[in-house]
Structures are given as structure tokens and as C-alpha cells.
Amino acid sequence: MAGYFAPSLGTPECYECKEGTISDTGASVCIDCTPGKFEFFGGKTECQDCRTGKISGVGASECTNCEAGKFHDEVGQTECKDCLAGTASREGLAECWTCYAGRFSPEDRATSCDYCQPGTISPMNASECTACLAGKY
């Protein structure tokens, strides 16, 4: 029976595969879900892709959020990507947001955009603020 296994010849019953593993009909062992996939319930034949903003390792029963300052915009991934300077993100997002004009993030993996100090400005997606021209504020 699919999603179950019989560990040895003559086993009187089949055992359900645990969370994070799957099997086909007639299996003698369960197989771990591959990285980027998960299976929350036991007794299944197919692992599911982690959705965007989430990742997993081998044999996962659930996916974990990308940490703040990171993202992932594709399903079934194993590592999150860093948000670049000029952008930021919160935990579990599929993309980084762009810092608005007048705000900036100076380093990769930012979790927020900071306001420029008085007397300085920045365009959208800035990694730094620059001084206003003489005679302007």
C-alpha cells in the first residue's frame, strides 16, 4: 500500500511512513522528502514543495520561514536569498521591498529601511543618503 512499508519479508502488517517521508506501493523502507519539500502527514506518496518565502532540509515535516532580511521567490527551495542594500524584508516573505525615497538600508540583509537625517536625501532603493545641495534643504 502506498505511503506504508513492510520492513522485512513475512512482516504481518505494513507500517505507515512518518511525517517527512513517503513511499510507493510495495516499499520496504520510507524515503525522506528531498530538500525544498515537506510532508506534514504520514502515509503519503508524494512530498509537497515549500511555498515562496519558506525553505526545508532533508526529511522535513514542515517548511521554515526565511529569516528577516532574506527572501525566496520560488517554490521548493533549500536556501533563502539575501535582500540587497536598498531593500529590506520581514520573516517569511517571497520578496524584499524597496526603500522609498528619503529612506535607505546600507547593508545586505536589512530588516527595515531607515530615514535619512535632516539635510540629506535619497532616491528609491538607496543604500545611503547624500547631503542636500548648497542653498537647499
Side-chain angles (χ1 to χ4, degrees):
M1 183 159 55
Y4 289 76
F5 71 105
S8 59
L9 201 56
T11 301
E13 63 183 295
C14 293
Y15 301 97
E16 184 176 80
C17 291
K18 66 181 177 87
E19 299 87 1
T21 65
I22 57 170
S23 76
D24 289 326
T25 301
S28 60
V29 295
C30 297
I31 301 166
D32 286 334
C33 291
T34 57
K37 296 182 177 281
F38 75 102
E39 186 47 62
F40 183 74
F41 300 104
K44 299 294 182 184
T45 59
E46 192 174 322
C47 297
Q48 307 300 310
D49 284 332
C50 292
R51 35 178 246 244
T52 58
K54 295 183 175 283
I55 58 170
S56 74
V58 175
S61 60
E62 62 184 313
C63 300
T64 56
N65 286 335
C66 289
E67 63 187 79
K70 293 188 165 216
F71 74 103
H72 216 297
D73 54 355
E74 298 176 47
V75 299
Q77 299 303 305
T78 59
E79 292 183 26
C80 297
K81 302 175 190 176
D82 290 344
C83 292
L84 300 177
T87 66
S89 79
R90 289 188 306 270
E91 180 181 310
L93 293 183
E95 61 186 32
C96 303
W97 66 79
T98 298
C99 295
Y100 292 116
R103 299 186 82 171
F104 72 105
S105 66
E107 299 176 1
D108 293 352
R109 298 184 64 190
T111 59
S112 64
C113 298
D114 299 322
Y115 286 100
C116 291
Q117 294 296 316
T120 64
I121 59 170
S122 71
M124 283 186 72
N125 203 40
S127 59
E128 63 183 357
C129 299
T130 55
C132 293
L133 298 175
K136 303 236 177 192
Y137 66 96

